[in-house]
């Protein structure tokens, strides 16, 4: 990255405006800006620090809350003159880890904090599990935050990313958290340029670079992730600035369809495919600006009525849905399909999302009888059967 | 994580075609485009900085075209590179293609792709000059502002409130080996733009954001083409995509209005692609054929790509098409109460659900 260029050389005006009169900032709350990339080495941290320097130049009070140098000299050079808040040292199982010191930043009360690696998971013993939770605390305290993340860490893309890369990303950020950002900016670099950087040892040291290239850093993988990042950034722009869909703008029918309210309903079971089902439905709901419910059905009273071997998994799935900001309900009744569809009709649901497997039974026919029953009962409600996305790493 | 990929063995013709495509691809100069959605995002800086880096790495780089106004932060960069001066005819500047071809650099930097040449030049447009350099095996790095992309002109003019005269065809952007977007929030460009357009700031920000979204999606489309090429060069394997691709299965009896309305909504919301297929049925009577034609007209009206599929097994034909086109959602109609034929169809829908590996199936009530 020694030769990386600043992303926005003409940005001093924008930075000045930021420091002087922030746009759309609810009084008291800090503004979050996310620098979004698609792989290590595209220049996210560099671009973020470059902007931090610009803001300093026009008089903003900027501190570095957390910064991961990765040994990249050009990025480290961007730190020049910046106040860095010392990290907090935490001992866990005999090893010392360093994490962002949220309390120290709060005590220092800067205007802007630079916080690298938004999706990071804190070591046990920290007050909060995730760095993005730490960032929310800083924002609540009125501090603007600049942060970085790669698109593959976005929760709703987890299955697509798994399909593309063969890797199941564990450190994810829920979409509603990213939606809180005032701006999401794409840090772009072509895969070829990225592979050149990798080759020249800019991104990783030689042996790690070779390993990375054989796995994650394949051209087709990078191209697909980059497309995901571009489309995600376009979506984030559309969300923030009320941009209409680009197809047939202004036509009466387009406006009518856009205004129709959609409500989605996901049927949850103990089956492991439920997580992917929840992500898929929630993503669709976000794109349709729709409400999204997640329901499970107990044959008895509450979770007691769920078969003991399924109880824990079902509870986990309901929690997962709540964490992604879906409304959840545990319905009760002897026939799940009947309860599900009754709920759908009561709530004006327009789309029901089902997985292919149900009640932990992997047999297709069992799941399929359930699907048929729901489709028959649902009458005018659309039913979507969500497929599992198996990983298909490129050859 | 290396996994065996089972691709069918290509035929000799297919192999020859691939080798020729590969050779053609290797001979031609590479085209890299820096795309911005407005002036002030820093396209030219990024382009010249890349030229500077390549020069420092030992590549033979020249500047073929610069724009009339050079911001101060560019001046220093420009001093480090060899410049082939613009010529002019009747006061209109043009790139000295002949001099560049004689000089034969490895890389030529062309700032401002959308200029028109003066009358009397062999090429009317600068992008055609660039095409000539590429054919001669010279790599070109260039910058372009979204507002000069021909196909987007009317939309851009509506947003910018100013007339755009010079243009680059979007198809030319799609030939780029690499395209890089220079992204920044709208606020970065507002001060410059505010000079030309007398609109209130929130409105200006909204318009610029719309241009920004268009630039991101255009880049995504070019990148998607690259993804397809990439998978093609690797010889199939398993296809995957980053975009929603919707496939509607159309029949004469389908409630095409509802299906197309739903599919269009999804296409617009996801900025996806929309395909409509019909698997030919030999025993259609005149009434059915007319109904099918009406349904396909509706699909055409929505801008869908329409394909007629052949195959004794409709489900197999649909799924093969779906996998070849990286479809992510299949829309099928279903009507539980319509006699033996719908029972047959229901079976088809059942089989589709069963066999649609990795593809969602949406059942649209009729």
């Amino acid at each position: 990255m020694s030769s990386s260029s600043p992303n926005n050389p003409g940005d001093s005006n924008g930075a000045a405006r930021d420091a002087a009169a922030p746009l759309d900032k609810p009084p008291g709350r800090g503004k979050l800006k996310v620098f979004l990339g698609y792989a290590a080495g595209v220049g996210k941290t560099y671009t973020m620090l470059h902007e931090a320097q610009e803001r300093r130049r026009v008089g903003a009070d900027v501190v570095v809350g957390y910064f991961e140098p990765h040994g990249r000299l050009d990025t480290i050079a961007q730190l020049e003159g910046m106040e860095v808040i010392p990290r907090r040292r935490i001992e866990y199982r005999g090893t010392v880890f360093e994490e962002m010191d949220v309390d120290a930043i709060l005590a220092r009360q800067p205007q802007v904090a630079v916080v690298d690696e938004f999706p990071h998971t804190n070591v046990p013993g920290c007050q909060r599990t995730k760095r993005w939770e730490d960032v929310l605390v800083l924002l609540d305290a009125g501090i603007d935050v600049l942060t970085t993340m790669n698109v593959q860490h976005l929760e709703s893309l987890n299955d697509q990313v798994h399909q593309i890369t063969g890797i199941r990303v564990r450190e994810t950020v829920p979409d509603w958290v990213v939606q809180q950002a005032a701006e999401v900016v794409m840090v772009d670099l072509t895969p070829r340029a990225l592979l050149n950087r990798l080759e020249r040892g800019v991104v990783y040291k030689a042996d790690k670079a070779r390993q990375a290239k054989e796995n994650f850093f394949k051209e087709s993988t990078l191209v697909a992730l980059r497309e995901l990042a571009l489309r995600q950034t376009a979506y984030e722009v559309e969300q923030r600035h009320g941009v209409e869909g680009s197809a047939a703008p202004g036509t009466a029918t387009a406006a009518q369809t856009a205004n129709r309210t959609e409500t989605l309903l996901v049927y949850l079971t103990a089956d492991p495919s439920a997580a992917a089902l929840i992500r898929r439905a929630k993503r669709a709901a976000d794109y349709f600006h729709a409400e999204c419910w997640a329901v499970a059905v107990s044959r008895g009273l509450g979770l007691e009525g769920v078969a003991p071997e399924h109880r824990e998994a079902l509870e986990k799935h309901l929690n997962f849905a709540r964490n992604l900001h879906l409304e959840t309900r545990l319905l009760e009744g002897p026939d799940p399909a009947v309860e599900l569809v009754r709920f759908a009709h009561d709530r004006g649901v327009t789309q029901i999302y089902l997985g292919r497997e149900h009640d932990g039974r992997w047999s297709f026919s069992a799941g399929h009888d359930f699907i048929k029953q729901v489709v028959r009962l649902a009458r005018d409600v659309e039913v979507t059967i969500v497929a599992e996305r198996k990983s298909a790493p490129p050859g | 994580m290396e996994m065996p990929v089972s691709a069918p063995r290509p035929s000799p013709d297919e192999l020859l075609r691939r080798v020729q495509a590969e050779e053609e691809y290797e001979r031609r100069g590479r085209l890299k485009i820096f795309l911005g959605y407005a002036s002030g995002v820093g396209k030219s800086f990024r382009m010249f900085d890349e030229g500077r880096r390549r020069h420092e790495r030992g590549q033979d780089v020249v500047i073929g075209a610069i724009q009339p106004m050079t911001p101060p932060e560019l001046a220093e960069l420009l001093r480090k590179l060899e410049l082939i001066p613009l010529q002019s005819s009747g006061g209109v500047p043009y790139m000295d293609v002949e001099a560049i071809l004689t000089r034969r650099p490895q890389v030529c930097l062309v700032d401002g792709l959308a200029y028109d040449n003066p009358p009397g030049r062999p090429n009317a447009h600068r992008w055609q000059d660039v095409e000539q350099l590429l054919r001669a095996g010279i790599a070109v790095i260039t910058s372009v502002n979204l507002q000069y992309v021909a196909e987007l002109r009317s939309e851009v003019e509506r947003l910018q409130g100013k007339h755009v005269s010079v243009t680059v065809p979007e198809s030319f952007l799609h030939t780029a080996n690499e395209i890089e977007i220079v992204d920044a929030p709208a606020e970065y460009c507002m001060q410059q733009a505010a000079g030309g357009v007398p609109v209130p700031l929130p409105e200006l920000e909204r318009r610029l954001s719309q241009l920004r979204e268009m630039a991101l999606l255009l880049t995504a489309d070019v990148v998607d083409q690259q993804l397809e090429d990439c998978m093609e060069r690797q010889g199939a394997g398993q296809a995957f995509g980053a975009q929603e691709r919707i496939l509607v299965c159309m029949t004469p009896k389908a409630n095409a209005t509802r299906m197309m309305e739903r599919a269009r909504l999804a296409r617009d919301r996801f900025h996806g692609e929309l395909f409509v297929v019909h698997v030919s049925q030999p025993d259609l009577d005149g009434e059915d054929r007319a109904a099918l034609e009406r349904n396909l007209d509706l699909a055409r009206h929505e801008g869908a790509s329409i394909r007629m599929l052949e195959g004794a097994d409709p489900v197999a034909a649909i799924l093969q098409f779906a996998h070849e086109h990286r479809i992510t959602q299949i829309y099928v109609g279903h009507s539980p109460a319509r006699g033996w034929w719908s029972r047959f169809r229901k079976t088809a829908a059942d089989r589709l659900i069963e066999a649609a590996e990795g593809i969602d199936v949406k059942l649209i009530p009729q």
Side-chain angles (χ1 to χ4, degrees), chain A residues 102-128:
Chain A
V102 178
D103 293 339
I105 300 170
L106 290 174
R108 167 68 177 71
Q109 196 65 33
Q111 278 176 295
V112 183
V114 172
V115 181
D116 215 357
E117 299 195 340
F118 199 42
H120 171 81
T121 303
N122 292 330
V123 71
C126 289
Q127 206 178 338
R128 285 163 294 271

Side-chain angles (χ1 to χ4, degrees), chain A residues 50-109:
Chain A
H50 182 77
E51 166 140 353
Q53 289 288 13
E54 285 296 327
R55 292 202 188 192
R56 273 185 69 220
R57 199 168 307 156
V58 296
D61 179 24
V62 182
V63 304
V64 175
Y66 190 92
F67 162 67
E68 198 60 63
H70 294 298
R72 291 171 211 159
L73 298 177
D74 224 43
T75 304
I76 295 169
Q78 280 289 326
L79 266 186
E80 200 187 319
M82 295 258 229
E83 176 182 345
V84 180
I85 305 289
R87 298 177 189 179
R88 205 177 135 212
R89 294 163 66 84
I90 295 145
E91 202 183 302
Y92 179 68
R93 293 189 179 163
T95 312
V96 175
F97 292 86
E98 296 192 332
E99 298 287 1
M100 176 162 78
D101 193 337
V102 178
D103 293 339
I105 300 170
L106 290 174
R108 167 68 177 71
Q109 196 65 33

Side-chain angles (χ1 to χ4, degrees), chain A residues 3-11 13-15 17-18 23-24 31 33 51 160 163-167 183-186 188-190 192-193 196-197 200 214-216 218-221 223-224 226-228 230-231 233-235 237-238 241-247 249 253-254 257-260 262 280 283-284 287-289 350-351 353 356 364 368 371-372 375 379-395, chain B residues 1-3 5 25 30 32 40-42 45-46 49-50 52-53 56-57 73 155 158 177-188 190-192 201 205-206 209-210 212-214 216-217 219-221 223-227 230-231 233-234 238-245 258 261-262 264-272 326 328-329 331 334 336 346 349-366:
Chain A
S3 46
S4 171
S5 62
N7 225 17
N8 310 301
D11 63 359
N13 292 335
R17 278 173 34 108
D18 269 359
L23 279 175
D24 306 327
K31 257 175 85 174
K33 184 165 184 173
E51 166 140 353
Q160 252 174 301
Q163 191 182 20
I164 291 167
T165 64
I167 295 165
E183 284 294 352
V184 176
V185 177
M186 168 97 186
D188 196 20
L189 184 75
T190 64
R192 203 167 291 270
N196 283 341
R197 283 182 179 185
R200 297 201 306 275
E214 276 160 20
N215 297 322
F216 184 73
K218 283 182 195 133
E219 193 174 2
S220 52
T221 305
V223 172
R226 181 174 177 225
E227 189 183 341
L228 272 186
L230 285 161
R231 293 193 185 279
T233 310
Y235 171 74
V237 171
E238 189 170 320
H241 302 285
V243 182
E244 321 126 36
S246 64
T253 48
T257 348
N259 289 336
R260 177 149 77 203
E262 297 277 337
R280 182 78 177 147
R283 187 169 172 80
Y287 274 76
F288 285 115
H289 308 298
T350 55
Q351 307 184 32
Y353 277 67
R356 289 208 307 195
F364 178 74
H368 208 198
I371 291 171
K372 276 184 180 165
V375 169
R379 295 196 305 272
D380 203 41
V381 181
E382 281 171 27
V383 177
T384 302
I385 293 94
V386 174
E388 259 189 283
R389 263 88 181 154
K390 298 216 171 70
S391 93
Chain B
M1 53 166 273
E2 206 63 33
M3 276 179 54
V5 174
Y25 180 78
R30 296 188 158 263
K32 179 164 185 175
V41 288
F45 184 91
R46 286 273 292 273
D49 197 47
E50 166 136 4
R52 193 252 318 158
R53 278 183 278 139
E56 282 168 5
R57 290 207 299 272
E73 74 261 23
E155 182 73 353
R158 188 174 70 80
N177 302 91
E178 304 192 49
I179 187 167
E180 206 166 295
I181 189 161
V182 186
D183 188 33
E187 53 190 86
Y188 283 101
M190 283 170 61
Q191 301 230 334
Q192 270 126 321
L201 277 186
E205 183 169 22
R206 201 187 63 78
S209 297
Q210 201 161 340
R212 186 179 164 211
E213 193 195 3
M214 285 164 71
L216 285 159
L217 290 172
T219 311
D221 287 345
V223 169
D224 193 66
Q225 185 59 51
Q226 289 172 349
L227 181 61
C230 209
M231 294 195 290
R233 279 204 304 279
Q234 288 172 357
Q238 276 172 294
F240 51 80
Q243 188 188 16
E244 290 294 336
R245 285 184 163 77
R258 176 164 184 174
E261 188 186 295
R262 300 301 290 164
R264 180 195 56 210
L265 178 64
R267 189 259 322 262
D268 291 353
R269 288 303 165 123
F270 287 107
H271 297 288
R326 298 185 281 147
T328 59
Q329 320 177 16
Y331 283 45
H334 83 94
K346 220 173 155 214
D350 290 350
R351 286 184 45 225
L352 204 55
I353 293 166
E354 187 173 351
E357 279 291 327
I359 304 172
D360 297 347
V361 177
K362 207 178 254 290
L363 301 169
I364 311 287
Q366 303 289 295

